[in-house]
Amino acid sequence: MNIIDTGSNINPIKDQKSSVKNIPLFQIKGAEYLLKTKSYTNIIFQSIPSVKFFNDDEFLKNKNIYSMGTSTQNYLSQKGIISICPDVPGSKELIKILAKNKNNGKYLVVKGADGLNDVFNYLKESGEDVQEIICYKRFKLDSYKDIKKDFYNADAIIFSSTYAVEIFFHEVYSADINATFFGISNRIIKFISDCGYKAKFIDYFSEDILESIKKSI
């Protein structure tokens, strides 16, 4: 079975059977940022790249750390950082957690350029002291010609961001591709649906992701 993971190669699916091929559809580069203060008490990471390109890990000690979903939480844990995240990944569920854990502190949202604003807007509209920093940017590849052929024989394609979905249907998709599409969140699945295609949910960090995909196809 040929399975393609379109997520960034920062933390691709670990598959001992080598059945999952990581083919990123975009590049990620760090961006310079400035912490206006070190008095933040609550730090929110919206993605794996927001963790990778945040260069002030020492600053995270004794802070309340939140992550948008399990993948980001797992990446933080690899760096020895414990975070709180919703059972269902996404802004909506994270906001519910933040609403229950208000502590009159200062919030910092760490994200990428063009990242979601839902959490920041919720905190700001709720009267919280919140700021955000942009620590990375995403860029399309110079060309998609050389990777298109890899998708023609795919049985399953996994999307971990709406940006990858957008690029796929604009730069890669062909009627010759008969793969089943999978999204790692309801938001991504809806985005694929809005593009006119069906997708199924997949637990990105499931121990039996291969079996889950096989049963879904």
Side-chain angles (χ1 to χ4, degrees), residues 4-7 21-26 141 147 150-151:
I4 295 178
D5 170 21
T6 62
K21 186 175 184 179
N22 184 223
I23 305 179
L25 296 179
F26 55 87
L141 306 181
I147 67 172
D150 291 303
F151 288 86

Side-chain angles (χ1 to χ4, degrees), residues 11-202:
N11 195 39
I13 296 173
K14 295 178 180 178
D15 173 45
Q16 57 273 37
K17 295 183 180 180
S18 299
S19 297
V20 179
K21 186 175 184 179
N22 184 223
I23 305 179
L25 296 179
F26 55 87
Q27 296 177 326
I28 299 177
K29 296 181 180 179
E32 291 187 8
Y33 65 86
L34 176 65
L35 291 177
K36 296 181 179 180
T37 177
K38 292 199 173 181
S39 62
Y40 301 111
T41 55
N42 306 281
I43 318 298
I44 301 164
F45 290 96
Q46 293 202 166
S47 63
I48 289 177
S50 71
V51 179
K52 177 177 175 60
F53 294 105
F54 184 77
N55 300 318
D56 296 276
D57 289 355
E58 287 297 315
F59 164 70
L60 300 178
K61 292 181 178 179
N62 302 316
K63 309 290 185 182
N64 300 312
I65 310 298
Y66 297 89
S67 48
M68 186 73 82
T70 306
S71 59
T72 305
Q73 183 184 52
N74 289 347
Y75 195 78
L76 280 164
S77 68
Q78 293 174 22
K79 304 179 75 170
I81 301 168
I82 298 174
S83 66
I84 300 171
C85 85
D87 293 331
V88 178
S91 302
K92 184 177 180 180
E93 296 301 317
L94 179 57
I95 287 172
K96 291 180 182 179
I97 292 177
L98 294 172
K100 295 178 180 178
N101 292 276
K102 291 185 177 181
N103 51 31
N104 297 317
K106 289 178 66 70
Y107 291 83
L108 176 67
V109 177
V110 186
K111 54 184 281 191
D114 301 319
L116 294 174
N117 297 317
D118 296 358
V119 172
F120 177 83
N121 290 341
Y122 161 75
L123 291 168
K124 190 173 184 64
E125 291 168 3
S126 297
E128 301 294 332
D129 188 346
V130 58
Q131 295 175 353
E132 67 176 14
I133 58 170
I134 304 297
C135 67
Y136 71 93
K137 296 181 180 180
R138 301 180 299 182
F139 300 89
K140 292 177 64 175
L141 306 181
D142 293 335
S143 172
Y144 291 87
K145 181 180 179 180
D146 293 337
I147 67 172
K148 283 185 177 182
K149 61 181 183 298
D150 291 303
F151 288 86
Y152 293 154
N153 297 320
D155 297 301
I157 301 174
I158 302 171
F159 297 98
S160 56
S161 71
T162 58
Y163 188 51
V165 175
E166 181 180 344
I167 292 173
F168 174 78
F169 285 114
H170 278 87
E171 304 288 349
V172 177
Y173 180 74
S174 163
D176 295 326
I177 297 175
N178 296 311
T180 301
F181 301 140
F182 290 89
I184 70 168
S185 73
N186 292 330
R187 176 172 172 269
I188 295 171
I189 291 172
K190 183 180 183 303
F191 191 84
I192 295 173
S193 176
D194 290 343
C195 292
Y197 301 89
K198 295 181 179 179
K200 300 179 180 180
F201 174 79
I202 191 69

